[in-house]
Amino acid sequence: MITLTLDPKSKTPLYIQLYEGIKKLILEGALKENEKLPSKRSLSSHLKISVLTVENAYGQLIDEGYLRSKAGSGYYVEHLLPSLKDPKGEAAIAESPFKKSRHENRPSALRSAVCDFSTKGTDTASFPFSIWRSLSRQVLSRPAAQLLAPCPSGGTKELRTAIAGYLAAFRGLTVNPEQIVVGAGSEYLVGLIIQLLGRDLTYGIENPGYHKIASIFREHGVRCVGVPLDSCGACPEEEALPHVLHITPSHHFPTGICMPAGRRTSILSMMERRGGYVIEDDYDSEFRYKGQVIPTLAAMDQRGRVIYLSTFTKLLAPSIRISYMVLPPALLEEYQKRLSFYACTVPVFDQLTLAAFISEGYLERHVNRMKKLYKKKRDALVDALEGSALAPYLRIEGAEAGLHLLLKVENGMSEEELVKSAASLGVGLHGLSEYTLKNAPCPISKGATPCLVLGYNGITEEQIAKGVSLLEKAWIV
Amino acid sequence: MITLTLDPKSKTPLYIQLYEGIKKLILEGALKENEKLPSKRSLSSHLKISVLTVENAYGQLIDEGYLRSKAGSGYYVEHLLPSLKDPKGEAAIAESPFKKSRHENRPSALRSAVCDFSTKGTDTASFPFSIWRSLSRQVLSRPAAQLLAPCPSGGTKELRTAIAGYLAAFRGLTVNPEQIVVGAGSEYLVGLIIQLLGRDLTYGIENPGYHKIASIFREHGVRCVGVPLDSCGACPEEEALPHVLHITPSHHFPTGICMPAGRRTSILSMMERRGGYVIEDDYDSEFRYKGQVIPTLAAMDQRGRVIYLSTFTKLLAPSIRISYMVLPPALLEEYQKRLSFYACTVPVFDQLTLAAFISEGYLERHVNRMKKLYKKKRDALVDALEGSALAPYLRIEGAEAGLHLLLKVENGMSEEELVKSAASLGVGLHGLSEYTLKNAPCPISKGATPCLVLGYNGITEEQIAKGVSLLEKAWIV
């Protein structure tokens, strides 16, 4: 039986204490691959906690890929490919992946767009602009010398410290502020990464995946290959592993797949053998509506193979163009030697305003608020779809997190027909195949159910209802 | 005799009317190469204007390379290599180069740094921050939706329109605001240019020249060659002409050479035959202390071979990171097709504040004020040097414009010894050879007089006086 000391007086909920305890036992090898865990009921009576607490902890561990449940049989430790022990023999207990499972066990979840269901939007109407304005005014009142001085290439100390604090508190990622490089958007930072790592390398991206990354690689003239997905997310073969792999492990775009722990350790080990790097693009992991936020791959990385990339554009507003990356120590040294001649691309004023927004707790509050708001929209969309006359033809996937979901439609129409007929009634949405890499074998099999990507963050609940009722008209054959 | 109609009631000073009239006659071919112009006295009596007016106009035309003066003989039309007639047969009367001539006729002017005479500094203490702050507050009071909306890839309409107005009014450059691409610093824009033009090309930079440009080309992995200078500035050979040539024709960095009209037309014609592009980096042309501001190469360009690049960092403050480029129509089309997926890297808030700063006339006033202020510092530095015990060993060049000057020192010490002995007394300055390209033949001949680059914009007049008195101690042998 598992023996763990839980502290009912701790601020950390019991289920999270239990989840963390079991995860530690698995990562340290005390619980071995395929070992059966106690049933929920027996563990609950053993630890004198409720069955619900055990259920929540087990659920989270399943989501992250540490456990699997076998119907009618119980819970088993998953196969975690390579050892997560770091070279010093300490267990890497930091990170792990969630797996989305609203409608199926390990969904190759997808997402689409309705009425205009673009995945680009941000609900800027909900941005606490009065707070931002007031912080901006406070920053403007500081001495001119502070606002007009040049800033270090990586960003102001104030913002980097605030970001490091945010990463530690909300992403379980402990970094030195010096490792953070602030830049005017992730697109710019990807360009810097190419300069840092070199252009004689092969760059891999998920296929299907995020269009723009492929465009950036193309325009920088580096060799870019698509890496196929399976139900665990990016699935590179060791023989064909690119030197640099851009992935979205917490929440694959656009399918919503959360990469489980086993795949993560496998990719990290392959990359170590290859001497390559993973770019972990953590673009929207704050918005997870079930369980805890997914831990980062970077926190799992013991050998400096992960460049963590994130942005405030999705969290705040597209007009506030601030992203950042966290460089592992060896790359940081290389950056400082070769690339720190580049001036920081974000104005000091904006950096200081954001630093205040983060360190005074407004970002956390905003994220929590937006999470509720986006969940409401997500629910409105799911409810509208499930309550519509289309329901028998639909399957929703990837709705547990993020700002869009996938809709599989089996009404006899092709993906193209679905998109066109929706557009003819004024409903904008994209087909999943639009997210596949050009000039590469199509990763979607010919007989696959047509799949659409619906973003809901940029529109209102009323627009969602309207959009779904229009889809009913467009798609009932 | 030259016949021109001058309007004494016009707001344009008579000497500028005369200068423009003669320039037009030269560009249209009415005044031919080597043709002798009337003497100042005879033209003044013919046009019923003062001799001083003619002198000023002739002076400006000499500075720009349209006329040459022959001692004791008079004024002659310069050799303007290729015809400036555009394909439609209209004369290109827009642009022309100045030539610096404080201490010699066509100086290969240089500049250096004293006490800390770094060329990086900006006099931020003189920045009208209270106005900037007040404009910022006004912008902050606008509706949130306006400030939070995404902006076009090239920048907000407001800022692009303001920049186009500024270019027309102060740089004689008429462009469509759509041609302007705003970005977070010239370094970023040079990266975009490489993506736009391609990396299979050879990129040329002036040698000596601006370090950072070479670093950007290097880090982007494109082939970069140094183009030697002569007394007219960059002097590329047609056989070895790079596909893309980055130059600072209005005010070469760091020598201060202003490229004359003949060299400009020669480079434009070569580029046209080559099918290549000139990147005209107009980084500090506002600060010219003698005559008018130098017209741009872009305005001379009739065939879309010039990308005009400029920045507000030098004008305002390093922390306000806004630059822009003007793309010729064909490249604009290419940009929109291939690169407009990039989000604009400058926050909307900063763009709108700058737009207000420009369109409400504050930029013009600030530039005028800074010009006076920098001229005072320049004069203080020149006077201190000329009044020092070092004077017999010194020659100052390139002091007519910009934010630094060149100091040639003939006291028997080498450039390295001069820099080291100054540093030993706490005076920071750079040798000209520090601005030469690594891994290329050194463009400075072995027997050349040691030359230092002294920037004066980031320091006070007191520091200048102190610095020069320390140099006296360091360099008197």
Side-chain angles (χ1 to χ4, degrees):
Chain A
M1 187 56 74
I2 294 172
T3 303
L4 285 168
T5 315
L6 305 182
D7 174 9
K9 284 177 196 153
S10 158
K11 271 207 249 167
T12 309
L14 279 177
Y15 91 94
I16 292 182
Q17 293 185 45
L18 180 60
Y19 145 84
E20 283 176 347
I22 296 173
K23 187 161 93 169
K24 194 159 180 277
L25 292 174
I26 294 171
L27 289 168
E28 285 171 346
L31 281 170
K32 305 230 172 328
E33 190 181 324
N34 295 325
E35 194 169 332
K36 191 178 176 179
L37 268 82
S39 72
K40 289 183 278 186
R41 189 160 303 276
S42 68
L43 190 59
S44 95
S45 76
H46 174 68
L47 294 175
K48 301 191 172 50
I49 53 178
S50 78
V51 173
L52 191 67
T53 301
V54 181
E55 198 170 296
N56 282 337
Y58 278 16
Q60 184 78 11
L61 288 162
I62 290 169
D63 279 349
E64 294 193 14
Y66 288 96
L67 298 183
R68 62 174 185 277
S69 85
K70 234 167 140 175
S73 162
Y75 299 88
Y76 296 85
V77 176
E78 261 288 18
H79 173 56
L80 300 185
L81 270 171
S83 163
L84 278 174
K85 302 251 180 196
D86 77 5
K88 292 169 227 125
E90 293 160 21
I93 54 163
E95 294 318 318
S96 61
F98 270 64
K99 180 177 63 73
K100 326 197 101 206
S101 55
R102 185 176 171 91
H103 291 264
E104 61 178 42
N105 206 17
R106 192 162 277 181
S108 59
L110 308 177
R111 306 182 184 180
S112 154
V114 184
C115 194
D116 181 33
F117 288 70
S118 153
T119 52
K120 284 185 211 161
T122 303
D123 188 339
T124 50
S126 304
F127 180 73
F129 189 67
S130 57
I131 289 167
W132 186 266
R133 182 185 274 145
S134 130
L135 292 173
S136 297
R137 287 182 196 279
Q138 282 170 33
V139 170
L140 274 174
S141 305
R142 298 196 198 174
Q146 199 186 333
L147 296 175
L148 297 178
C151 97
S153 174
T156 61
K157 199 181 162 197
E158 233 162 318
L159 179 57
R160 293 201 278 180
T161 305
I163 291 174
Y166 179 78
L167 286 176
F170 301 102
R171 302 299 286 124
L173 190 56
T174 310
V175 305
N176 185 326
E178 295 285 317
Q179 288 177 263
I180 295 171
V181 175
V182 170
S186 299
E187 300 162 359
Y188 170 70
L189 291 175
V190 170
L192 268 189
I193 291 172
I194 296 168
Q195 293 177 62
L196 183 60
L197 301 182
R199 55 190 70 252
D200 298 332
L201 309 177
T202 302
Y203 287 74
I205 55 166
E206 296 159 326
N207 189 19
Y210 188 46
H211 273 138
K212 276 200 184 174
I213 301 297
S215 303
I216 296 168
F217 287 144
R218 183 190 65 224
E219 295 304 334
H220 278 270
V222 295
R223 191 166 169 251
C224 175
V225 297
V227 168
L229 305 182
D230 64 10
S231 59
C232 298
C235 180
E237 282 173 37
E238 179 131 24
E239 304 70 47
L241 187 72
H243 301 91
V244 186
L245 179 58
H246 176 278
I247 53 175
T248 50
S250 292
H251 187 227
H252 174 255
F253 186 87
T255 68
I257 295 171
C258 172
M259 188 181 281
R263 177 62 53 80
R264 291 179 180 224
T265 54
S266 153
I267 289 181
L268 283 179
S269 306
M270 281 198 264
M271 266 308 169
E272 200 194 329
R273 288 191 289 275
R274 186 89 167 96
Y277 292 93
V278 175
I279 303 171
E280 177 184 22
D281 196 339
D282 200 31
Y283 66 105
D284 77 350
S285 59
E286 283 83 358
F287 300 119
R288 185 167 176 82
Y289 312 120
K290 168 175 170 280
Q292 288 176 270
V293 164
I294 305 293
T296 64
L297 183 65
M300 235 172 156
D301 171 34
Q302 299 290 318
R303 292 172 179 93
R305 307 322 307 178
V306 176
I307 299 171
Y308 177 85
L309 179 68
S310 192
T311 181
F312 291 101
T313 303
K314 280 264 172 199
L315 287 182
L316 305 175
S319 71
I320 298 167
R321 200 113 214 115
I322 312 184
S323 298
Y324 62 95
M325 59 180 175
V326 180
L327 295 176
L331 285 183
L332 175 67
E333 204 175 302
E334 183 72 12
Y335 174 89
Q336 281 167 339
K337 213 167 65 190
R338 269 181 34 223
L339 296 178
S340 59
F341 75 88
Y342 279 118
C344 184
T345 43
V346 182
V348 169
F349 170 79
D350 305 75
Q351 290 191 51
L352 296 181
T353 305
L354 177 58
F357 193 77
I358 297 171
S359 57
E360 293 178 24
Y362 293 112
L363 180 64
E364 187 190 351
R365 265 173 269 173
H366 174 57
V367 167
N368 289 336
R369 202 170 138 254
M370 294 312 286
K371 206 163 138 176
K372 278 182 207 152
L373 197 136
Y374 287 143
K375 186 176 181 300
K376 258 186 90 191
K377 290 192 188 184
R378 193 271 317 253
D379 291 346
L381 177 55
V382 170
D383 291 350
L385 289 168
E386 290 181 343
S388 78
L390 290 166
Y393 312 103
L394 302 180
R395 196 163 46 146
I396 296 167
E397 291 179 358
E400 303 76 25
L403 309 171
H404 65 274
L405 53 78
L406 291 189
L407 190 65
K408 292 195 170 172
V409 185
E410 268 183 306
N411 67 346
M413 291 166 94
S414 69
E415 186 191 291
E416 201 187 336
E417 288 166 345
L418 289 165
V419 171
K420 278 195 178 164
S421 60
S424 72
L425 294 184
V427 181
L429 37 70
H430 295 284
L432 179 62
S433 63
E434 296 177 50
Y435 297 88
T436 59
L437 208 55
K438 281 169 207 161
N439 310 323
C442 180
I444 302 170
S445 59
K446 271 202 169 169
T449 308
C451 184
L452 305 163
V453 183
L454 284 86
Y456 45 80
N457 49 329
I459 48 175
T460 63
E461 287 180 48
E462 290 67 37
Q463 287 171 317
I464 288 171
K466 182 96 194 281
V468 172
S469 77
L470 288 169
L471 287 181
E472 267 183 330
K473 283 184 202 152
W475 292 349
I476 294 288
V477 277
Chain B
M1 185 57 73
I2 293 172
T3 303
L4 284 168
T5 315
L6 305 181
D7 175 8
K9 286 180 193 149
S10 159
K11 273 206 249 168
T12 309
L14 279 177
Y15 90 95
I16 292 182
Q17 292 184 46
L18 180 60
Y19 146 83
E20 283 175 348
I22 297 173
K23 187 161 94 171
K24 193 160 181 275
L25 292 173
I26 294 172
L27 289 167
E28 286 172 345
L31 283 170
K32 305 229 172 328
E33 189 180 325
N34 295 325
E35 193 168 332
K36 191 179 176 178
L37 269 83
S39 73
K40 290 184 276 187
R41 190 160 306 275
S42 67
L43 190 59
S44 94
S45 77
H46 174 67
L47 294 175
K48 302 190 172 48
I49 51 180
S50 77
V51 173
L52 192 67
T53 301
V54 181
E55 197 171 296
N56 283 337
Y58 278 16
Q60 184 79 12
L61 288 162
I62 290 170
D63 279 350
E64 295 194 12
Y66 289 96
L67 297 183
R68 64 174 183 277
S69 85
K70 235 166 139 174
S73 162
Y75 298 89
Y76 296 84
V77 176
E78 262 287 22
H79 172 56
L80 300 185
L81 269 171
S83 165
L84 277 174
K85 302 250 179 195
D86 77 4
K88 293 171 227 124
E90 293 158 22
I93 55 163
E95 294 318 318
S96 60
F98 271 63
K99 178 177 65 74
K100 328 197 99 211
S101 55
R102 186 180 170 87
H103 291 264
E104 61 176 42
N105 207 15
R106 192 163 277 181
S108 59
L110 307 177
R111 306 181 187 180
S112 154
V114 184
C115 194
D116 180 33
F117 288 68
S118 152
T119 53
K120 285 186 210 160
T122 303
D123 188 339
T124 50
S126 306
F127 181 73
F129 189 67
S130 57
I131 289 167
W132 187 266
R133 182 185 274 143
S134 132
L135 292 173
S136 296
R137 288 183 196 277
Q138 282 170 33
V139 170
L140 274 173
S141 305
R142 297 196 199 174
Q146 198 186 334
L147 296 175
L148 298 178
C151 97
S153 174
T156 61
K157 198 181 163 198
E158 232 162 320
L159 179 56
R160 293 201 279 179
T161 306
I163 292 173
Y166 179 78
L167 286 176
F170 301 101
R171 302 300 286 124
L173 190 55
T174 310
V175 305
N176 185 327
E178 295 284 317
Q179 287 177 264
I180 295 171
V181 175
V182 170
S186 299
E187 299 162 0
Y188 170 71
L189 291 174
V190 170
L192 267 189
I193 291 172
I194 296 168
Q195 294 177 59
L196 183 60
L197 302 182
R199 55 190 69 254
D200 298 331
L201 308 178
T202 302
Y203 287 73
I205 55 166
E206 296 159 326
N207 189 21
Y210 188 46
H211 274 139
K212 275 201 184 173
I213 301 296
S215 303
I216 297 168
F217 288 144
R218 183 190 66 225
E219 294 306 335
H220 278 271
V222 295
R223 192 167 168 251
C224 175
V225 296
V227 168
L229 305 182
D230 62 11
S231 60
C232 298
C235 180
E237 282 173 37
E238 178 130 25
E239 305 70 48
L241 187 72
H243 301 91
V244 186
L245 178 59
H246 176 279
I247 53 176
T248 50
S250 293
H251 187 227
H252 173 256
F253 186 87
T255 67
I257 295 171
C258 172
M259 188 180 281
R263 178 62 53 79
R264 291 180 180 223
T265 55
S266 154
I267 289 181
L268 283 179
S269 306
M270 280 198 265
M271 267 307 169
E272 199 193 330
R273 289 192 289 275
R274 184 89 168 96
Y277 292 94
V278 174
I279 303 171
E280 177 185 21
D281 196 340
D282 200 31
Y283 66 105
D284 77 350
S285 59
E286 282 84 357
F287 300 118
R288 185 168 176 80
Y289 312 120
K290 169 176 168 280
Q292 288 176 268
V293 163
I294 304 293
T296 64
L297 183 65
M300 236 174 155
D301 171 34
Q302 298 290 317
R303 294 172 177 93
R305 306 323 307 178
V306 176
I307 300 171
Y308 177 84
L309 179 68
S310 192
T311 181
F312 291 101
T313 303
K314 280 263 172 199
L315 287 183
L316 305 175
S319 71
I320 297 167
R321 200 113 214 115
I322 313 184
S323 298
Y324 62 96
M325 59 181 173
V326 180
L327 294 176
L331 284 183
L332 175 67
E333 205 176 301
E334 184 71 14
Y335 174 89
Q336 280 167 340
K337 212 167 67 188
R338 270 180 35 221
L339 296 177
S340 59
F341 74 88
Y342 280 118
C344 185
T345 42
V346 181
V348 169
F349 170 78
D350 305 74
Q351 290 192 51
L352 296 181
T353 304
L354 177 58
F357 193 78
I358 298 171
S359 58
E360 294 178 25
Y362 294 112
L363 180 64
E364 187 190 352
R365 265 173 268 172
H366 174 58
V367 167
N368 289 336
R369 204 172 137 253
M370 294 312 285
K371 206 162 138 176
K372 277 182 207 152
L373 198 135
Y374 288 143
K375 185 175 180 302
K376 255 186 93 192
K377 290 191 189 184
R378 192 271 317 252
D379 291 346
L381 177 56
V382 170
D383 291 350
L385 289 168
E386 290 181 343
S388 77
L390 290 166
Y393 312 103
L394 303 180
R395 196 166 45 150
I396 297 168
E397 291 180 357
E400 304 76 25
L403 310 171
H404 65 274
L405 53 78
L406 291 189
L407 189 65
K408 293 194 170 172
V409 185
E410 268 182 307
N411 66 346
M413 292 167 92
S414 70
E415 186 191 288
E416 201 186 337
E417 287 165 346
L418 289 165
V419 171
K420 278 195 179 164
S421 60
S424 73
L425 295 184
V427 182
L429 37 69
H430 295 283
L432 179 62
S433 64
E434 295 177 49
Y435 297 88
T436 59
L437 208 56
K438 283 169 205 161
N439 311 322
C442 181
I444 302 170
S445 60
K446 271 203 171 171
T449 307
C451 184
L452 305 162
V453 183
L454 284 86
Y456 45 81
N457 49 329
I459 47 175
T460 63
E461 288 179 47
E462 290 67 37
Q463 288 171 316
I464 289 171
K466 181 98 192 284
V468 173
S469 76
L470 288 169
L471 287 181
E472 268 183 329
K473 285 183 201 152
W475 292 348
I476 293 287
V477 278

